[in-house]
Amino acid sequence: MPPSTQQKIGKHQKTEPVTRIDRLHDTWRVMKPFVHFSLKALKVMAHALIFIVKHIPKPEENQPKSKKDKVIKI
């Protein structure tokens, strides 16, 4: 019969102390997909804003040219 593992009340199992580097690695592993998604989303939004700004008509383009706009210098 295999030896039984009995846990006694009041006895805590020893756990290895978690280092700061381990915590940072674990945090980065969890957050990495969210960071990549947010960067891609920001890139898409930036390209959309640039496209919109480039295609806004300029006020000078809409005014028809007339002959009375000539400047006479004296």
Side-chain angles (χ1 to χ4, degrees):
M1 178 172 213
S4 62
T5 56
Q6 295 179 354
Q7 294 181 353
K8 296 188 178 186
I9 297 176
K11 297 259 183 165
H12 296 287
Q13 293 181 353
K14 293 183 181 178
T15 58
E16 294 180 17
V18 179
T19 63
R20 185 175 183 192
I21 297 296
D22 291 336
R23 243 183 297 145
L24 289 175
H25 284 295
D26 187 49
T27 303
W28 175 245
R29 185 182 54 80
V30 171
M31 294 303 293
K32 189 175 181 180
F34 298 107
V35 171
H36 283 277
F37 174 76
S38 63
L39 290 176
K40 288 179 183 180
L42 285 174
K43 190 184 295 186
V44 167
M45 289 174 53
H47 285 287
L49 286 174
I50 290 170
F51 178 81
I52 290 169
V53 168
K54 280 186 177 180
H55 288 82
I56 292 175
K58 302 199 175 26
E60 300 90 30
E61 294 176 357
N62 293 335
Q63 297 175 351
K65 304 267 180 173
S66 65
K67 295 181 180 179
K68 295 180 180 180
D69 290 341
K70 292 182 181 179
V71 176
I72 301 173
K73 293 184 178 180
I74 300 178

